[in-house]
């Protein structure tokens, strides 16, 4: 089995540029949702250089090409990343609700210093003269 490699189309993620959902090479049709395929080494070496956009040398690579040990490590890393969400069986702390704060909850302060400023009459304190109509 040392003359084989495991290959898979990278999972569909247009944000990262992984836009291929299927690809055919040497009579083998690769689907992204199927996962890993075991192929001959020469096929794997060719697929290692395939890009998502064939004419763009800066486009991301379309395939993950690995040995069996590398593929297992890659799968294990992805499954750990997928377990970020908390489950019901985890030891979770109680999250207390804060509730809504309304104006009734604010402290009542009647001192004159805390009173809101009053609006001045625009005509009384205005230093600029009004324009005359022509």
């Amino acid at each position: 089995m040392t003359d084989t490699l495991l290959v898979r189309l990278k999972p569909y993620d247009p944000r990262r540029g992984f836009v291929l959902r299927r690809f055919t090479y040497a009579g083998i049709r690769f689907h992204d949702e199927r996962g890993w395929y075991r192929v001959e080494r020469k096929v794997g070496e060719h697929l290692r250089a395939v890009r998502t956009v064939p004419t763009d040398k800066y486009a991301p690579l379309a395939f993950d090409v690995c040995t069996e040990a590398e593929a297992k490590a890659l799968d294990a890393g992805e499954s750990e990343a997928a377990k970020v969400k908390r489950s019901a069986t985890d030891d979770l702390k109680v999250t207390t609700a804060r509730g809504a704060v309304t104006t009734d909850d604010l402290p009542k302060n009647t001192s004159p210093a805390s009173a809101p400023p009053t609006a001045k009459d625009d005509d009384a304190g205005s230093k600029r003269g009004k324009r005359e109509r022509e």
Side-chain angles (χ1 to χ4, degrees), residues 16 73-86:
R16 291 189 174 137
L74 190 59
D75 281 343
E78 288 174 353
S79 68
E80 285 299 317
K83 291 182 183 177
V84 173
K85 292 182 181 179
R86 294 185 264 182

Side-chain angles (χ1 to χ4, degrees), residues 23-128:
F23 186 84
T24 304
Y25 175 73
I28 305 168
R29 182 169 293 157
F30 299 94
H31 293 273
D32 66 333
E33 65 271 354
R34 178 159 179 250
W36 294 101
Y37 292 79
R38 186 176 299 277
V39 296
E40 297 172 347
R41 185 170 286 282
K42 69 176 192 167
V43 172
E45 293 301 329
H46 173 79
L47 295 175
R48 191 181 303 269
V50 172
R51 301 208 173 260
T52 55
V53 180
T55 57
D56 184 4
K57 66 180 181 178
Y58 299 109
L61 294 172
F63 285 89
D64 289 323
V65 181
C66 306
T67 62
E68 191 167 345
E70 293 169 336
K72 285 180 182 177
L74 190 59
D75 281 343
E78 288 174 353
S79 68
E80 285 299 317
K83 291 182 183 177
V84 173
K85 292 182 181 179
R86 294 185 264 182
S87 68
T89 59
D90 291 344
D91 185 25
L92 301 174
K93 294 188 292 185
V94 175
T95 306
T96 58
R98 290 186 264 170
V101 177
T102 63
T103 54
D104 295 334
D105 298 328
L106 297 176
K108 305 275 189 242
N109 200 349
T110 58
S111 65
S114 66
T118 58
K120 294 183 180 179
D121 188 12
D122 288 338
D123 294 334
S126 177
K127 294 183 180 181
R128 292 176 56 184

